[in-house]
Amino acid sequence: MAKREARHALPYRRPGDKTGISVGINAQNGHKFADVAYPIVRRSRSPLRCGAMTYSPPPGQYPGGQPGGYPGGQPGYGAVDPATGLPYSDKSKLIAGLLGILLGGFGAGRFYTGHTGIAIGQIAATWLTCGLGALWPLIDGIMILVNGGTDAQGRPLRPN
């Protein structure tokens, strides 16, 4: 008995052609088949595939930053909050608190941290109560200065 090919044969491609023709023998009934005019897609061969590799710095560079920089004294990009273990935000708690105190009626402190829903709520509370709702952003700014806060991604604000 002759060996029959599977239904899925490799495509045949003519030089310069953007479509392929697949020819083979149907394994069920032995008839020849031809699938014509499907596009042949070439996938790029990138060195990084979805999570297959991790980044490692080139020799002589440090993952924590530039050599000779501040030795762990300045929290900034790449610094980690010691209490929670989460990386610090690129937003400052001092700026967020001062914006909340000085421009809280406009929601500036919460717009700065990325909490747009709370910022719009602060604007609405301030304007709908003819200014009495400005106590909310004032207290919110003081709380951010005293206790810190988070940005829209949940990362703690930088302490400086």
Side-chain angles (χ1 to χ4, degrees):
M1 185 170 191
K3 185 176 180 182
R4 295 183 180 173
E5 294 182 31
R7 171 85 173 134
H8 302 286
L10 294 175
Y12 167 74
R13 183 172 178 210
R14 289 178 270 172
D17 194 10
K18 300 256 190 254
T19 61
I21 301 172
S22 179
V23 180
I25 298 174
N26 191 334
Q28 294 175 352
N29 57 17
H31 296 302
K32 290 185 179 179
F33 71 89
D35 294 330
V36 183
Y38 61 90
I40 293 179
V41 179
R42 292 201 177 251
R43 293 186 170 91
S44 65
R45 304 265 180 183
S46 64
L48 290 177
R49 296 194 179 130
C50 285
M53 299 175 66
T54 58
Y55 172 76
S56 60
Q61 291 185 0
Y62 300 102
Q66 295 292 330
Y70 298 107
Q74 281 288 5
Y77 295 105
V80 177
D81 184 14
T84 62
L86 296 172
Y88 281 123
S89 171
D90 55 344
K91 311 289 186 190
S92 171
K93 112 175 161 176
L94 178 67
I95 294 175
L98 289 178
L99 284 172
I101 292 170
L102 300 175
L103 297 172
F106 301 105
R110 288 301 184 157
F111 276 125
Y112 174 72
T113 59
H115 297 104
T116 55
I118 296 174
I120 292 171
Q122 288 177 344
I123 293 170
T126 301
W127 294 104
L128 291 175
T129 61
C130 298
L132 290 177
L135 289 175
W136 174 22
L138 176 72
I139 294 171
D140 188 39
I142 293 170
M143 295 295 287
I144 288 176
L145 281 176
V146 173
N147 298 330
T150 60
D151 63 0
Q153 287 78 33
R155 299 175 298 187
L157 297 175
R158 280 187 296 141
N160 56 353

